[in-house]
Amino acid sequence: MIKIRDLEKIYRTEEVETVALNKISIDVKEGEFVAIMGPSGCGKSTLLNILGLLDDPDNGSFLFNNIEVANFNERKRADLRKHNIGFVFQSFNLIDELTVFENVELPLIYTGVKSGDRKKRVEEVLDKMQIMHRRNHYPQQLSGGQQQRVAVARAVVNNPKLILADEPTGNLDSSNGNEVMTLLTDLNEQGTTIIMVTHSEHDARYSHRIIRMLDGQTVLENIMV
Amino acid sequence: MFKNYLKTAWRSIVRNKAFSLINITGLSIGMAASLLVFIVVQYELSYDKFQPNYNRIYRVVTQDKFDKDITYNAGIPVPALKALRAEFPHIQFGALESAYGSQITVPSGKNETGNKFIVETGLFFIEPQLFEVFSYQWLTGSPASLKDPNNVVLDEKTATKYFGSWQEAMGKTVLLDNTVPLKVNGILKNVPANSDLPLSVLVSYETLKQNGGAYNHFETWNTTSSNFNIMALLPANVKMDDINRALLQFSRDQYKPLQSNSIKTNFLQPLSSFHFDRRFASFGDHVTSKSTLLTLSLIGIFIILMACVNFINLATALSVNRSKEVGIRKVLGGNRSQLFGQVMTETAVIVCLSILVSLGIAWMMLPYIKHIASIQEQLSLFTLQTVVMVVSIGIIVTLLAGLYPSFVLSKYNPITALKNKMASAGVRGVSLRRGLVIMQFTISQVLIIATAVAISQMNFISKAELGFNKEGVLILNGKSDSISLSKQTAFKQQLLQIPGVQSVSFNNDAPSSDNLWSTNFGYNHQPDEKFQISLKFTDADYVKTFGLQLIGGRIPVESDTMRELMINETLVKDLGIKDPNEVIGKTIRIGRDQWYPIVGVVKDFKTSSLREDIKPVVITTRKKFYYCTGIKIRTQQLAGTQAAIQKTWEQFYPEYAYSPQFFDENIARFYQQEEQLSLLYKIFAGLAIFISCLGLYGLVSFMAVQKTKEVGIRKVLGASVTSLLQLFSKEFTVLIIVSFFIAVPVAWYMMHSWLNNFAYRIPLSIWFFITAIAGSVVIAWITVGYKAIRAALANPVKALRSE
Ligand SMILES: Nc1ncnc2c1ncn2[C@@H]1O[C@H](COP(=O)(O)OP(=O)(O)OP(=O)(O)O)[C@@H](O)[C@H]1O
Ligand SMILES: [Mg+2]
């Protein structure tokens, strides 16, 4: 599903040049659950952003479902993204002005789903995440774990083939964290590809494969048994 | 999608209550102000447009070129009418002559002398042909109703006022100025108020021909009265310039034989300039200069621009806080145009709310504006034009205020946006915001300076040394028919019996007025001088009654005819003479009359409004022209004295309406336009300051939020409250100073040219400018102060934790 080769990302400011990704090459097959680990600043988030088509690489090739997307313009990337990829962030990133229901509904609005279908779909997902009873609450009225469940709900509502999660449990205590990990595992079992950045060895154990990074390169891959 | 935009827009308005309130307040006040300006300007521009032949109607006016200056007159000598008809047979001409302050007596069963009405303006002697030039609607009758002498046509409201209903009025007889009987022979539908020809009592022109002497209507080429006008309707294919060229030759032929000391030329004045050309007197209630309308429109535009500036300022400032939301939307697949649409929708919602509020404000203010702009007619808020205006303001403001913030927001890179690292976007925003604040303060300071100058000039005028006494002088207008004149001596005797009356003077004119009687003259047996003098005919008590001061010689002796003259200092100076006593005993010839001796010189007094220089004046006796009675009264027991004067008047002149005027009120009327303008400046300056303070307050509140952490850290490190206040105020003070230097030349230029309208004016002192900057700094500090103090006093621990 994902095939990147010699991908480079370099941040230039006036004084310094930071090589965030240094000719990195990775493959991810459909249905895989991959964890990315590494010390702070090694380029994990940068990689995830590029995989999520939020950012473009400076060099190298990126095949998404066998299509070269490394030089897509913003419009094409947004189009591909909204139909195929869901995101979960460490800091939840819910819109404070919208209710739980409306937050989850948002991706469906952007992909142009009709209002009746949207309602059905959102309710289904909220039910699955066991957050239905909070549908009319605003994000600030929820606990961290609940907020992250809403974020996961929002990530999957479009039935994306790929979910990218950047430290999804970083802001959660262990029981809430485990709950989210279980959700992700369930989704993976139903066929969704998952790529997750994490600092926690415990969380990484939920995955099939761990990619360890250092200074913008992969240094090690552990296949889980 | 749109519904979703609306929903989020509404939520974000509610969430950012303070900002929304500031925006809506600013925008709605700005829009209400410009809407009202629009209504007034639109009304002024609509004058006479209801005439179907608007573009083909002209007035044949007169230019008089002297050695030194040129004068203009809306009138034309009476014989020109016949000559023009002969010379230009293809043009339709129509003449009319206005009479001011005439009296109409309506017979009444109850009152022996009838009901008396003074027609201040609106009484015209009219040729039937005038209705081929101007079009009016008739309720009954036709232009032919004015064919014969002693006929009158009334408009509906006057007929109703006189007789109760217009049907009742038809066929009745009224008396004009107690001498001329007139039969009501037709009724005109009321002429719209936005007309420079406010016809209400229309007397047939033939009546004037038969009574010419009483109305100074003479068939001579050497009198030009602004009351007698000739209107012309050009055929569709004839150009004004061609006729003007022909009129040049016409004038040469007609005026050459007169051998006057000036060159007279007739030319066409288009109807479209009747309301705006101050060179010509208007029959309507006022003339508005186009530059005043332009100033007003500009101010209206500025006010709304300032409100938009607030909006942009606050929205860009807020957008930093919104970056997270924008980032999320982008990650979830929202593309640029959708985000753009969303921010624009939010702007549009705020603009729509503001429009609603502004309509409310405008509706409440309309009666006051009507009063300030002295508009007679009922103004309505909801005409096609205002609706179009409101909709276009709405669209323009949405675009102006929304485009930039939408652009900025939709451009955000989602990753940086999520990190809330708006460094790059922030810096650009700051310089833009500074620019906008400078613009706002420039506008406010220009308006503060304009207001201060206008108020001082108006003060100066009301306190100016006029050279006569305007307080406590009552002026009664009468007629100078022989019966009235014969009663004058007895009338005066009786008035002087009233304890409150100090002195009484009969004359043709107050010392200061707009109706000047001017003529050519010769001095000391020389040929005619190259300039004209103004004439005043007064009795010997004039000097005492109006408090004039004699600086040489004596007052002319009482006489029924012209015998001795008194002149003013300006005339002495204009004759090139240094010592006033030198002219005493010398002679002056007025017009083609004989030589009369000068017996006195009077200290200069203002002969008209302070816009104009003092004119050279000759004061002499001539009972025939004593229409006015000036009465100097003591200010104690004013009411009793006035009642006694009225009783005396009614006893002597029962057939004349009693309509007293206070001299100082007449003088105040000279400056009505200036007073209105200075009031408008005050209002708009207040609004401008308010709107810029709103914006400043918003920005500072935002800054306070942004700087919470910085302030917290600084406090922990030991910063004093004063130094923190400086942190907030330094930037704004600098911006105000920068805008001051932009405002100074603009305001200087603007007010310098305004003051040039006055012959007597205050200097543009540096204090006006100092007031403006000191005022703005103080107001800004007050605005900023509260927020800044709160931020500076806040508990630093709390501030740091909240980050
Ligand atoms: N916008 C940027 N401009 C300049 N340098 C950047 C930018 N974003 C990231 N970097 C640099 O690129 C490198 C990789 O950053 P990245 O955020 O991918 O690290 P990370 O592995 O996700 O770290 P963490 O575990 O702390 O989240 C870092 O050295 C970072 O300083
Ligand atoms: Mg990271």
Side-chain angles (χ1 to χ4, degrees):
Chain A
M1 176 180 219
I2 286 171
K3 187 176 193 152
I4 59 173
R5 286 293 173 269
D6 298 330
L7 210 62
E8 275 188 321
K9 180 75 188 176
I10 300 161
Y11 291 112
R12 284 188 187 84
T13 57
E14 271 118 53
E15 301 104 45
V16 283
E17 201 180 276
T18 316
V19 182
L21 294 177
N22 187 4
K23 303 207 170 181
I24 192 168
S25 301
I26 289 174
D27 291 276
V28 178
K29 288 201 247 334
E30 200 152 346
E32 260 195 303
F33 187 161
V34 179
I36 299 175
M37 298 191 73
S40 189
C42 69
K44 306 180 293 292
S45 297
T46 308
L47 176 63
L48 213 63
N49 287 337
I50 292 174
L51 292 177
L53 298 162
L54 292 173
D55 208 351
D56 44 13
D58 294 323
N59 260 314
S61 124
F62 176 9
L63 295 178
F64 188 89
N65 282 336
N66 294 323
I67 304 164
E68 179 58 67
V69 297
N71 39 26
F72 265 27
N73 63 19
E74 199 194 313
R75 204 185 170 80
K76 276 173 144 178
R77 277 192 272 143
D79 220 45
L80 198 61
R81 184 165 70 227
K82 68 184 175 195
H83 288 108
N84 295 294
I85 306 173
F87 291 87
V88 179
F89 300 92
Q90 174 178 358
S91 52
F92 323 136
N93 281 338
L94 298 173
I95 296 181
D96 297 333
E97 287 85 7
L98 301 182
T99 61
V100 165
F101 184 93
E102 288 158 356
N103 262 293
V104 176
E105 188 189 20
L106 212 51
L108 296 174
I109 292 175
Y110 287 133
T111 45
V113 176
K114 281 200 210 73
S115 140
D117 297 342
R118 283 206 305 260
K119 189 163 181 283
K120 221 175 80 200
R121 191 73 196 101
V122 173
E123 278 169 358
E124 241 172 65
V125 179
L126 287 178
D127 227 18
K128 206 155 95 190
M129 302 294 154
Q130 295 168 8
I131 197 91
M132 190 59 185
H133 58 296
R134 293 298 176 105
R135 52 177 293 177
N136 289 325
H137 286 85
Y138 286 91
Q140 274 99 352
Q141 300 167 320
L142 305 179
S143 74
Q146 288 169 330
Q147 288 190 42
Q148 195 60 302
R149 287 213 300 265
V150 175
V152 174
R154 189 178 63 181
V156 302
V157 71
N158 249 343
N159 285 325
K161 296 191 188 71
L162 173 65
I163 287 183
L164 299 174
D166 197 344
E167 302 181 37
T169 61
N171 278 355
L172 301 176
D173 62 29
S174 59
S175 77
N176 273 320
N178 284 339
E179 229 175 87
V180 169
M181 287 317 299
T182 317
L183 275 176
L184 290 178
T185 315
D186 289 350
L187 285 169
N188 178 247
E189 274 163 12
Q190 286 153 32
T192 313
T193 313
I194 293 179
I195 302 175
M196 171 182 80
V197 168
T198 181
H199 280 287
S200 139
E201 293 288 346
H202 170 266
D203 288 352
R205 251 172 261 140
Y206 287 88
S207 69
H208 303 158
R209 177 157 67 106
I210 303 174
I211 297 175
R212 294 194 190 268
M213 284 179 69
L214 188 66
D215 292 343
Q217 287 181 307
T218 52
V219 287
L220 198 68
E221 294 197 16
N222 305 45
I223 314 284
M224 311 296 288
V225 274
Chain B
M1 182 66 77
F2 185 66
K3 217 176 103 196
N4 183 263
Y5 285 170
L6 271 185
K7 192 163 61 189
T8 9
W10 180 248
R11 296 263 174 79
S12 99
I13 287 169
V14 172
R15 204 169 100 95
N16 300 306
K17 263 191 220 80
F19 290 102
S20 314
L21 201 68
I22 289 174
N23 272 333
I24 292 174
T25 314
L27 270 182
S28 52
I29 289 176
M31 285 198 279
S34 44
L35 185 60
L36 289 172
V37 166
F38 175 81
I39 291 175
V40 170
V41 170
Q42 157 91 17
Y43 180 78
E44 293 291 341
L45 291 177
S46 76
Y47 262 73
D48 305 313
K49 290 241 171 82
F50 63 90
Q51 282 298 337
N53 295 322
Y54 183 74
N55 288 317
R56 289 163 51 207
I57 298 177
Y58 298 84
R59 171 160 62 190
V60 190
V61 296
T62 309
Q63 182 198 61
D64 223 349
K65 202 168 162 213
F66 293 88
D67 249 17
K68 279 187 228 150
D69 60 343
I70 300 179
T71 64
Y72 292 90
N73 196 323
I76 188 166
V78 178
L81 181 58
K82 213 166 149 196
L84 283 169
R85 283 194 170 127
E87 185 83 25
F88 303 97
H90 57 298
I91 297 177
Q92 187 65 53
F93 292 101
L96 79 167
E97 174 148 344
S98 73
Y100 294 99
S102 273
Q103 180 177 316
I104 295 285
T105 311
V106 179
S108 142
K110 288 182 223 123
N111 191 338
E112 198 188 333
T113 51
N115 295 328
K116 301 177 283 281
F117 299 94
I118 299 287
V119 190
E120 286 298 347
T121 57
L123 188 139
F124 293 90
F125 296 99
I126 291 196
E127 280 195 313
Q129 289 93 316
L130 188 89
F131 295 95
E132 287 168 34
V133 179
F134 286 89
S135 316
Y136 294 100
Q137 285 167 304
W138 294 75
L139 288 174
T140 177
S142 69
S145 311
L146 290 172
K147 202 157 61 64
D148 299 322
N150 297 85
N151 280 327
V152 66
V153 168
L154 302 175
D155 74 340
E156 193 185 348
K157 66 174 188 309
T158 310
T160 312
K161 184 166 129 199
Y162 291 176
F163 294 97
S165 78
W166 67 265
Q167 288 89 346
E168 197 66 31
M170 275 305 283
K172 295 277 163 49
T173 300
V174 298
L175 201 58
L176 173 64
D177 291 324
N178 286 313
T179 43
V180 188
L182 299 170
K183 186 167 148 258
V184 180
N185 204 16
I187 305 289
L188 211 59
K189 227 171 137 189
N190 288 338
V191 175
N194 54 352
S195 164
D196 284 295
L197 216 55
L199 306 180
S200 63
V201 178
L202 289 62
V203 183
S204 60
Y205 188 68
E206 290 298 319
T207 317
L208 178 66
K209 277 188 172 170
Q210 292 183 359
N211 299 275
Y215 296 95
N216 296 325
H217 177 84
F218 305 109
E219 282 275 345
T220 64
W221 279 99
N222 49 25
T223 314
T224 310
S225 160
S226 61
N227 291 347
F228 179 77
N229 283 193
I230 296 177
M231 306 294 183
L233 177 70
L234 299 199
N237 55 352
V238 173
K239 296 222 168 52
M240 177 175 88
D241 290 344
D242 294 337
I243 302 301
N244 276 341
R245 222 164 293 129
L247 277 172
L248 212 59
Q249 187 55 46
F250 171 87
S251 311
R252 245 174 253 143
D253 296 345
Q254 301 298 344
Y255 299 109
K256 199 60 159 284
L258 293 180
Q259 295 188 328
S260 88
N261 58 352
S262 67
I263 303 165
K264 275 196 167 61
T265 313
N266 295 123
F267 65 97
L268 295 179
Q269 180 201 10
L271 176 59
S272 56
S273 82
F274 278 24
H275 195 60
F276 308 104
D277 196 336
R278 280 189 146 189
R279 292 177 303 175
F280 303 101
S282 162
F283 294 137
D285 53 357
H286 68 284
V287 178
T288 309
S289 73
K290 283 246 167 101
S291 70
T292 306
L293 293 185
L294 188 69
T295 311
L296 262 184
S297 315
L298 281 180
I299 292 177
I301 292 171
F302 278 149
I303 294 269
I304 205 154
L305 270 183
M306 290 176 74
C308 287
V309 163
N310 275 355
F311 194 103
I312 298 173
N313 258 340
L314 292 178
T316 43
L318 261 186
S319 63
V320 179
N321 288 352
R322 292 189 62 181
S323 61
K324 183 183 146 199
E325 180 203 332
V326 172
I328 298 169
R329 286 182 183 272
K330 281 206 160 175
V331 167
L332 295 179
N335 61 34
R336 246 186 109 157
S337 56
Q338 284 165 332
L339 281 162
F340 192 82
Q342 191 198 325
V343 184
M344 285 307 273
T345 311
E346 269 169 42
T347 313
V349 169
I350 290 194
V351 169
C352 286
L353 286 174
S354 311
I355 285 181
L356 288 183
V357 178
S358 75
L359 285 176
I361 298 175
W363 185 74
M364 284 191 306
M365 293 310 293
L366 206 53
Y368 299 99
I369 290 298
K370 211 184 100 164
H371 176 72
I372 294 170
S374 62
I375 290 172
Q376 309 285 319
E377 205 173 32
Q378 199 54 49
L379 289 176
S380 64
L381 196 52
F382 299 101
T383 60
L384 182 64
Q385 287 96 329
T386 50
V387 169
V388 169
M389 157 85 177
V390 166
V391 171
S392 26
I393 286 190
I395 293 171
I396 292 169
V397 170
T398 307
L399 292 180
L400 268 182
L403 272 181
Y404 182 77
S406 323
F407 180 72
V408 169
L409 272 176
S410 63
K411 211 176 57 184
Y412 281 171
N413 174 311
I415 302 164
T416 28
L418 281 179
K419 280 189 184 163
N420 232 330
K421 270 189 196 156
M422 297 317 302
S424 56
V427 170
R428 217 177 305 124
V430 165
S431 55
L432 174 90
R433 283 203 291 281
R434 285 199 186 119
L436 294 177
V437 169
I438 289 176
M439 177 182 144
Q440 282 190 321
F441 272 97
T442 305
I443 297 173
S444 320
Q445 293 188 66
V446 167
L447 286 171
I448 294 178
I449 296 169
T451 310
V453 172
I455 292 174
S456 310
Q457 171 68 16
M458 296 321 286
N459 260 344
F460 170 77
I461 282 177
S462 66
K463 299 225 169 69
E465 182 49 58
L466 297 172
F468 55 81
N469 164 36
K470 62 175 176 172
E471 248 70 50
V473 181
L474 205 62
I475 292 176
L476 308 178
N477 289 309
K479 282 284 160 194
S480 54
D481 56 285
S482 52
I483 307 166
S484 304
L485 291 177
S486 69
K487 291 192 214 164
Q488 269 184 351
T489 319
F491 178 52
K492 183 167 174 174
Q493 286 311 320
Q494 185 119 355
L495 284 177
L496 289 170
Q497 299 295 310
I498 302 168
V501 172
Q502 281 177 301
S503 70
V504 176
S505 159
F506 296 112
N507 54 74
N508 79 319
D509 198 7
S512 187
S513 77
D514 316 306
N515 30 332
L516 296 171
W517 183 328
S518 53
T519 171
N520 50 329
F521 77 107
Y523 173 69
N524 200 17
H525 301 283
Q526 305 289 314
D528 272 8
E529 297 291 328
K530 295 284 193 201
F531 60 95
Q532 302 214 315
I533 48 160
S534 295
L535 274 177
K536 288 191 194 292
F537 299 102
T538 75
D539 64 7
D541 284 336
Y542 192 72
V543 168
K544 188 162 80 180
T545 306
F546 288 99
L548 305 184
Q549 286 174 38
L550 221 55
I551 55 168
R554 58 174 174 81
I555 296 168
V557 295
E558 200 78 74
S559 161
D560 287 355
T561 55
M562 224 192 278
R563 261 177 70 182
E564 293 176 338
L565 315 176
M566 178 163 67
I567 68 176
N568 70 347
E569 278 178 289
T570 299
L571 178 51
V572 176
K573 246 177 279 155
D574 287 356
L575 287 169
I577 297 164
K578 294 247 161 52
D579 180 11
N581 288 311
E582 199 180 303
V583 299
I584 292 173
K586 299 273 166 38
T587 53
I588 277 182
R589 182 182 64 191
I590 289 162
R592 298 269 160 270
D593 207 343
Q594 64 191 86
W595 294 91
Y596 294 104
I598 301 170
V599 298
V601 176
V602 66
K603 190 167 184 282
D604 264 343
F605 55 89
K606 303 287 188 284
T607 47
S608 43
S609 82
L610 298 185
R611 277 187 291 272
E612 287 157 70
D613 284 314
I614 293 174
K615 296 193 167 57
V617 178
V618 168
I619 298 174
T620 182
T621 51
R622 194 164 180 188
K623 193 166 183 177
K624 186 174 165 234
F625 297 125
Y626 293 169
Y627 342 98
C628 291
T629 313
I631 307 174
K632 169 80 183 140
I633 53 183
R634 293 191 180 85
T635 38
Q636 301 96 326
Q637 293 180 320
L638 201 62
T641 308
Q642 276 183 278
I645 292 172
Q646 176 163 10
K647 228 179 107 210
T648 314
W649 173 273
E650 277 161 358
Q651 181 191 332
F652 276 83
Y653 303 108
E655 64 282 11
Y656 288 108
Y658 177 70
S659 61
Q661 292 167 346
F662 273 103
F663 186 35
D664 51 354
E665 286 168 13
N666 288 357
I667 287 177
R669 220 163 291 143
F670 291 164
Y671 310 108
Q672 209 182 351
Q673 286 231 343
E674 281 81 6
E675 285 288 358
Q676 283 166 5
L677 202 66
S678 105
L679 182 60
L680 283 177
Y681 277 144
K682 270 186 242 178
I683 295 173
F684 282 116
L687 284 181
I689 293 166
F690 179 70
I691 292 178
S692 38
C693 285
L694 269 185
L696 200 54
Y697 183 80
L699 274 186
V700 171
S701 326
F702 172 75
M703 227 170 101
V705 174
Q706 289 283 295
K707 286 195 191 251
T708 311
K709 190 175 172 193
E710 180 186 340
V711 168
I713 295 170
R714 280 173 187 270
K715 274 189 98 169
V716 168
L717 296 178
S720 69
V721 172
T722 339
S723 74
L724 290 173
L725 285 183
Q726 272 168 13
L727 186 73
F728 280 98
S729 56
K730 203 176 73 198
E731 164 148 6
F732 292 113
T733 311
V734 169
L735 294 185
I736 290 174
I737 291 169
V738 171
S739 51
F740 174 70
F741 284 105
I742 305 174
V744 165
V746 177
W748 186 86
Y749 174 78
M750 206 170 108
M751 294 326 281
H752 180 75
S753 42
W754 185 73
L755 283 175
N756 270 343
N757 286 330
F758 296 90
Y760 298 91
R761 54 182 181 254
I762 51 167
L764 255 182
S765 100
I766 187 151
W767 285 105
F768 293 119
F769 301 95
I770 292 176
T771 311
I773 182 138
S776 341
V777 169
V778 168
I779 292 172
W781 274 354
I782 293 172
T783 315
V784 172
Y786 168 72
K787 274 280 164 189
I789 288 173
R790 272 218 355 211
L793 291 180
N795 182 345
V797 179
K798 227 171 167 181
L800 288 179
R801 209 190 297 133
S802 77
E803 265 290 295

